[in-house]
C-alpha cells in the first residue's frame, strides 16, 4: 500500500488538491487540468497501448498520470462508449503487480479511494489507526459525506458501525464526531482554545468534562485535530475512564 500511496501523490489524484489549482493561492504549487484534453482520443490511445504486443506501459502511464482525477473519469466514460466494457477490465488484463495496483487506484474517485483505504485499515486482525486519522482528520465535510456514501455502496457496510467495532474510548468518540461531517470550516483558528484543547488531549488525567471534548474536535483545525487524534490512538488506557 505504501508504494501505491507514494505513486498517487505524484499523480493528480485527490479532488481536494485539484480544487486548489483553480485558486492557486499566493503562487504555490498547483494542479492544472491537462491542456487540449480529449477523452475520446485518450481512450483510443489507451486501448491501443493495452492491446499492442508486449503492452505499451509507458503510454498508459503518460496518458493517465498527468490528467486530473476528473479528466480520468471522463476517459473511463469514453472508453466504456468505445469498447462497451469498463477501462479497468482492460487494464487488469494488460498490467501486473504494483503498476496495475497504482493505475487502477488512479481510476477511482477520491471518495472511492478513501473508502477503500478505510476498509483496508479495519479489515482483518488489528486496526491501522494512522489511516483512520489521516483520512478523517484532514477531510472536509463534503469529502466525509462522499466517502461515507462510497463506503456503503462498495462494501454494503456502515462506516460508523465498523469504526465502533474497531476502536474504543475517546479515540472512537472523536472519530465518530468527525464522521458527522458538521465541522466548523471557518479558516480562523482560536489559538487560545486550540492550545487549551491540545493540553487536555495530552494530559494523563482527563478532566471530568472530557465526555464532551471529542464533540468539540470539529471546531478545531485539521492539523490540530490530527495531532490530538494521534495522542489518543491505541485505546483509552492512558486516560481516566468516564462514568
Amino acid at each position: 500500500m505504501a508504494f501505491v500511496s507514494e505513486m498517487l501523490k505524484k499523480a493528480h489524484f485527490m479532488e481536494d488538491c485539484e480544487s486548489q489549482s483553480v485558486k492557486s493561492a499566493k503562487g504555490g504549487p498547483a494542479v492544472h487540468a491537462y491542456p487540449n484534453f480529449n477523452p475520446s482520443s485518450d481512450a483510443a490511445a489507451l486501448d491501443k497501448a493495452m492491446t499492442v504486443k508486449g503492452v505499451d506501459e509507458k503510454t498508459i502511464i503518460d496518458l493517465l498520470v498527468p490528467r486530473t482525477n476528473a479528466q480520468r473519469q471522463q476517459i473511463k466514460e469514453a472508453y466504456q462508449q468505445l469498447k462497451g466494457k469498463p477501462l479497468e477490465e482492460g487494464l487488469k488484463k494488460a498490467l501486473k503487480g504494483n503498476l496495475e495496483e497504482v493505475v487502477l487506484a488512479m481510476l477511482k474517485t477520491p471518495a472511492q479511494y478513501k473508502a477503500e483505504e478505510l476498509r483496508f485499515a479495519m479489515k482483518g486482525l488489528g486496526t491501522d489507526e494512522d489511516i483512520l486519522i489521516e483520512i478523517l482528520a484532514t477531510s472536509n465535510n463534503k469529502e466525509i459525506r462522499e466517502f461515507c456514501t462510497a463506503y456503503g455502496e462498495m462494501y454494503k457496510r456502515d462506516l460508523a458501525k465498523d469504526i465502533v467495532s474497531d476502536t474504543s474510548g475517546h479515540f472512537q468518540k472523536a472519530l465518530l464526531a468527525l464522521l458527522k461531517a458538521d465541522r466548523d470550516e471557518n479558516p480562523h483558528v482560536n489559538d487560545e482554545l486550540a492550545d487549551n484543547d491540545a493540553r487536555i488531549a495530552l494530559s494523563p488525567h482527563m478532566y471530568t468534562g472530557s465526555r464532551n471534548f471529542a464533540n468539540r474536535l470539529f471546531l478545531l483545525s485539521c492539523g490540530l485535530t490530527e495531532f490530538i487524534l494521534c495522542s489518543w490512538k491505541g485505546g483509552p488506557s492512558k486516560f481516566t475512564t468516564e462514568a
Side-chain angles (χ1 to χ4, degrees):
M1 294 298 288
F3 174 83
V4 177
S5 297
E6 189 61 33
M7 285 293 295
L8 290 176
K9 288 178 183 177
K10 297 177 182 179
H12 299 169
F13 183 73
M14 300 311 291
E15 205 64 65
D16 52 349
C17 293
E18 290 173 14
S19 65
Q20 296 299 320
S21 67
V22 180
K23 304 173 185 177
S24 187
K26 300 181 181 179
V31 176
H32 298 281
Y34 190 81
N36 303 316
F37 173 63
N38 186 322
S40 297
S41 176
D42 283 359
L46 280 171
D47 183 57
K48 181 178 180 180
M50 289 186 291
T51 55
V52 69
K53 185 176 181 181
V55 182
D56 188 350
E57 294 181 347
K58 183 179 184 302
T59 294
I60 294 173
I61 294 170
D62 290 345
L63 280 169
L64 293 177
V65 171
R67 273 60 170 174
T68 65
N69 185 269
Q71 288 177 328
R72 286 194 286 272
Q73 301 310 312
Q74 293 180 56
I75 294 173
K76 286 171 59 177
E77 292 178 6
Y79 186 88
Q80 179 73 44
Q81 293 179 357
L82 176 68
K83 303 299 294 183
K85 61 181 180 180
L87 175 57
E88 292 90 339
E89 185 178 317
L91 288 167
K92 286 179 181 178
K93 292 181 179 179
L95 305 175
K96 296 180 180 179
N98 287 330
L99 181 57
E100 176 190 354
E101 190 176 356
V102 170
V103 169
L104 291 176
M106 284 194 297
L107 293 179
K108 294 180 172 65
T109 65
Q112 290 170 337
Y113 179 73
K114 288 183 178 182
E116 186 178 73
E117 288 287 285
L118 288 166
R119 184 66 190 135
F120 172 80
M122 295 183 286
K123 187 177 182 180
L125 295 176
T127 302
D128 192 328
E129 295 175 336
D130 289 335
I131 291 180
L132 299 182
I133 293 170
E134 181 179 356
I135 293 178
L136 281 165
T138 62
S139 298
N140 61 39
N141 293 336
K142 179 176 180 291
E143 291 164 348
I144 291 174
R145 287 191 290 269
E146 289 175 344
F147 68 65
C148 280
T149 298
Y151 191 92
E153 292 175 347
M154 292 167 66
Y155 302 110
K156 311 303 179 188
R157 302 174 68 94
D158 183 86
L159 179 56
K161 290 181 179 179
D162 282 351
I163 286 176
V164 168
S165 296
D166 278 65
T167 60
S168 60
H170 297 296
F171 180 64
Q172 178 194 98
K173 292 178 182 178
L175 295 179
L176 294 176
L178 293 173
L179 207 60
K180 293 177 182 177
D182 55 3
R183 183 190 222 159
D184 182 358
E185 295 183 331
N186 187 329
H188 175 72
V189 177
N190 185 320
D191 293 333
E192 184 177 351
L193 176 61
D195 180 71
N196 181 59
D197 283 344
R199 292 174 186 275
I200 292 168
L202 295 177
S203 172
H205 302 291
M206 296 292 285
Y207 68 104
T208 56
S210 62
R211 181 184 304 278
N212 297 319
F213 180 70
N215 291 324
R216 285 165 48 200
L217 283 179
F218 55 76
L219 297 175
L220 308 180
S221 68
C222 288
L224 183 58
T225 299
E226 186 171 7
F227 170 73
I228 290 173
L229 285 174
C230 283
S231 75
W232 277 359
K233 70 179 182 178
S237 58
K238 51 193 290 195
F239 304 105
T240 58
T241 302
E242 292 184 348

